[in-house]
Amino acid sequence: MKKSLLLVLSFVMLAAFTLAGCSSSKDSKSSEGTADTGKGTETQVQQEKKEDPVTLIWYTIGGPQKDQDKVMTEVNKYLVDKINTKIDLKVIDWGDYSQKMQVIAASGEPFDIAFTSSWAFNYVESARKGYFYELDQLLEESGKGIKEELNPAFLEGSKVNGHNYAIPTNKELPAQAVWRFNKNLVDKYKLDITKATTLESLEPMLKTVKENEPDVYPIPSNIGPFLPFDFALEGIPVGVALNSTDLKMVNIWDSPEAKQVFSTMRKYYQAGYLPPDVATKQGNEFEKTGKWLVDKQHTVPFADVSWSESMQYPIISTPIHEPLVFNWSVTGSMQAISAKTKHPKQAMEFLNLLNTDKFLRNLVNNGIEGVHYKKLSEGIYEPIPDSGYSMPAFTLGNMFLLDKLKNDPADKWEQYKKFNDSAKNAPLLGFQFDPTNVMTEIANVKNAVDEFGPSLNTGSVDPDKILPKAIEKLKAQGIDKIIEEAQKQVDAWRASK
């Protein structure tokens, strides 16, 4: 019995140890399984985040870039880490951009972001056609950095029917027309360009150069003489005087200022100050030859330096008017979000980053360090010639984030900001004319402007004889109806403000 009892106890103890071991093994495996599952879930979430980013299609304007894919690979690595987004960048050549983007937008072909402006893929027209996403709420939710960076006039001046439909590039805000001079001739004949304040004030200088340099045409091209008006729409002589307080719309060609300009240009043409074929002459060959004295351009800080470097001889300029913020200067470079995008929040997050993140902005603009540019010091770089990547800086976003070239002034961007802050608003800033009710008249008037404008602007015809005919043609084609419609709209706009 003792032996039996011992045997039973032995079995019981063995069974107990065996059960305890099994339980321990199960608990260990269960614990290990839980730990593995936790780690697996965490890793899986991270992998999903990295493997499934949103891809945004971004159309912009410029020349083809051999290394575009290489640069965008680096851009996308950075974006995935920052906002889990990738960019599919599509660059369309300068001359084709407007037409191709109109087809893409009208057909409903998918895109998320596109370059738009007053001169390419027309911003106001495209916004009114419903191609662009209204950004007011998105700016508040995901674009606060943009609002902090931009001068308020950028967003105010680019509103369409009271709403923003694109993000302006943070660059020069105003426009300022200047007389631009070939300094070699200025120095040679000791000309005082500080006296060049009006078109008429140029006459003594033009006369001196022509008498001493008979093979030089002092005014080399159709300079588009300055008229002191804020135009209601591009290419149509309808607008208000720059000093207007009542915002009265007028036929600009039928104004004393226009008659004076056309008469002065006629006088200059007859004196031989312009080429005989100036009304039809294309291009700027004169910049290469240096055989010219003065033309009219719009300036930015350090423009004289840029012009001098480009032409490889010294250029100086003097202002025609103070810096003024026009609708067309505000909308000269913008990024819009497609009205049909499936990812409006991510598109705005990307634009916000592009306009606030210095590393991203320089990567998109300059490419990869050591491949497309050399870093000379902190914030200073030098492009590598023919590297395969050279994007137009003003089309891509906040320029004030860009590194400077080695010859740029140390205070380049500070001077730009000072230039912007010094500007005054043109009287129609924020007013966007809706042409819907006068589309036929606008097309007809534009044809008349194209017919008479080049010859009147260059003095190639006698304005005493031709200007009355031009004004009569404008009236016959419906300019008075355009003026009436513009006046009605501007009165309502002013009342709403």
Side-chain angles (χ1 to χ4, degrees), residues 47-304:
Q47 287 175 343
E48 286 176 357
K49 184 178 180 182
K50 291 180 180 178
E51 292 172 2
D52 191 27
V54 167
T55 298
L56 303 174
I57 299 173
W58 178 21
Y59 281 98
T60 192
I61 192 169
Q65 304 295 317
K66 180 171 68 72
D67 276 3
Q68 179 179 311
D69 290 345
K70 186 184 294 185
V71 174
M72 293 314 297
T73 296
E74 297 303 312
V75 168
N76 286 334
K77 288 178 184 177
Y78 188 73
L79 289 176
V80 167
D81 182 58
K82 285 285 187 178
I83 55 174
N84 197 34
T85 297
K86 287 186 175 182
I87 293 296
D88 180 6
L89 180 65
K90 300 178 184 294
V91 180
I92 300 177
D93 201 62
W94 301 93
D96 299 328
Y97 188 79
S98 291
Q99 183 180 0
K100 287 189 175 181
M101 284 309 304
Q102 286 288 348
V103 172
I104 289 169
S107 68
E109 182 179 332
F111 74 94
D112 299 285
I113 301 169
F115 175 85
T116 180
S117 69
S118 56
W119 52 275
F121 191 27
N122 187 275
Y123 164 63
V124 175
E125 178 184 308
S126 298
R128 288 207 167 106
K129 286 181 177 179
Y131 295 159
F132 300 152
Y133 199 100
E134 184 187 305
L135 302 182
D136 299 10
Q137 186 173 346
L138 275 179
L139 273 167
E140 291 298 326
E141 294 174 351
S142 305
K144 289 183 179 179
I146 291 172
K147 296 186 72 173
E148 291 171 1
E149 289 286 328
L150 284 177
N151 186 305
F154 273 114
L155 292 174
E156 179 61 31
S158 59
K159 287 182 177 179
V160 178
N161 298 333
H163 302 285
N164 290 109
Y165 291 89
I167 304 300
T169 294
N170 198 18
K171 57 182 187 63
E172 75 278 2
L173 171 65
Q176 184 177 30
V178 296
W179 299 121
R180 184 177 70 164
F181 289 89
N182 178 347
K183 191 173 184 293
N184 287 336
L185 289 178
V186 169
D187 291 346
K188 185 175 181 178
Y189 297 107
K190 296 180 173 57
L191 305 178
D192 184 3
I193 69 167
T194 63
K195 295 180 179 178
T197 54
T198 64
L199 182 63
E200 290 73 25
S201 68
L202 298 175
E203 185 172 13
M205 291 176 269
L206 300 172
K207 186 174 186 294
T208 297
V209 170
K210 190 63 182 178
E211 287 178 348
N212 290 278
E213 309 268 354
D215 63 333
V216 170
Y217 293 107
I219 299 177
S221 63
N222 182 354
I223 61 174
F226 174 71
L227 290 167
F229 291 88
D230 192 358
F231 287 66
L233 63 165
E234 188 177 354
I236 303 294
V238 171
V240 303
L242 286 176
N243 61 0
S244 171
T245 55
D246 60 0
L247 300 188
K248 182 181 179 182
M249 292 283 173
V250 298
N251 178 347
I252 294 171
W253 279 12
D254 199 12
S255 67
E257 293 87 351
K259 293 174 184 177
Q260 176 67 33
V261 163
F262 295 150
S263 296
T264 301
M265 291 306 299
R266 178 60 175 171
K267 182 179 180 181
Y268 290 171
Y269 181 85
Q270 290 179 312
Y273 301 156
L274 294 91
D277 61 346
V278 64
T280 57
K281 193 176 182 67
Q282 301 292 321
N284 55 353
E285 189 66 23
F286 67 90
E287 293 185 355
K288 297 178 182 178
T289 65
K291 292 186 174 182
W292 64 285
L293 173 65
V294 62
D295 69 353
K296 180 178 72 68
Q297 297 290 336
H298 283 97
T299 192
V300 296
F302 311 109
D304 291 1

Side-chain angles (χ1 to χ4, degrees), residues 207-482:
K207 186 174 186 294
T208 297
V209 170
K210 190 63 182 178
E211 287 178 348
N212 290 278
E213 309 268 354
D215 63 333
V216 170
Y217 293 107
I219 299 177
S221 63
N222 182 354
I223 61 174
F226 174 71
L227 290 167
F229 291 88
D230 192 358
F231 287 66
L233 63 165
E234 188 177 354
I236 303 294
V238 171
V240 303
L242 286 176
N243 61 0
S244 171
T245 55
D246 60 0
L247 300 188
K248 182 181 179 182
M249 292 283 173
V250 298
N251 178 347
I252 294 171
W253 279 12
D254 199 12
S255 67
E257 293 87 351
K259 293 174 184 177
Q260 176 67 33
V261 163
F262 295 150
S263 296
T264 301
M265 291 306 299
R266 178 60 175 171
K267 182 179 180 181
Y268 290 171
Y269 181 85
Q270 290 179 312
Y273 301 156
L274 294 91
D277 61 346
V278 64
T280 57
K281 193 176 182 67
Q282 301 292 321
N284 55 353
E285 189 66 23
F286 67 90
E287 293 185 355
K288 297 178 182 178
T289 65
K291 292 186 174 182
W292 64 285
L293 173 65
V294 62
D295 69 353
K296 180 178 72 68
Q297 297 290 336
H298 283 97
T299 192
V300 296
F302 311 109
D304 291 1
V305 175
S306 298
W307 288 324
S308 298
E309 289 179 351
S310 174
M311 297 184 207
Q312 297 185 346
Y313 55 87
I315 303 297
I316 51 177
S317 63
T318 185
I320 297 173
H321 62 77
E322 63 187 346
L324 293 168
V325 186
F326 295 94
N327 289 318
W328 57 266
S329 67
V330 167
T331 58
S333 175
M334 313 180 80
Q335 300 292 340
I337 296 175
S338 170
K340 295 186 177 181
T341 181
K342 295 179 180 179
H343 311 291
K345 183 176 185 293
Q346 289 89 342
M348 179 57 76
E349 286 176 347
F350 166 69
L351 291 176
N352 192 69
L353 202 63
L354 185 67
N355 284 278
T356 58
D357 188 300
K358 187 176 178 66
F359 175 80
L360 175 64
R361 181 65 184 88
N362 280 276
L363 178 59
V364 172
N365 196 85
N366 302 332
I368 303 166
E369 182 182 353
V371 178
H372 305 110
Y373 71 92
K374 298 176 183 176
K375 186 173 182 178
L376 304 179
S377 61
E378 189 60 37
I380 308 295
Y381 79 104
E382 181 180 54
I384 296 175
D386 303 320
S387 67
Y389 194 80
S390 177
M391 295 289 279
F394 78 96
T395 66
L396 298 172
N398 187 355
M399 290 186 66
F400 297 168
L401 296 176
L402 291 176
D403 291 341
K404 294 186 283 288
L405 296 165
K406 65 177 181 179
N407 293 328
D408 283 342
D411 62 343
K412 177 179 179 178
W413 298 127
E414 288 75 17
Q415 289 300 319
Y416 266 77
K417 291 175 182 177
K418 184 177 179 181
F419 181 62
N420 288 356
D421 292 341
S422 73
K424 294 182 179 179
N425 292 346
L428 295 181
L429 182 68
F431 169 71
Q432 301 289 356
F433 179 69
D434 184 353
T436 304
N437 295 332
V438 285
M439 293 294 289
T440 300
E441 289 78 9
I442 288 174
N444 292 338
V445 167
K446 184 69 166 59
N447 289 335
V449 169
D450 292 341
E451 178 184 349
F452 291 99
S455 57
L456 286 169
N457 282 331
T458 58
S460 303
V461 296
D462 184 352
D464 290 338
K465 295 178 180 178
I466 301 302
L467 185 55
K469 293 181 181 180
I471 293 172
E472 182 180 348
K473 184 75 172 281
L474 292 177
K475 288 180 175 291
Q477 300 290 26
I479 196 169
D480 289 337
K481 186 175 179 181
I482 298 173

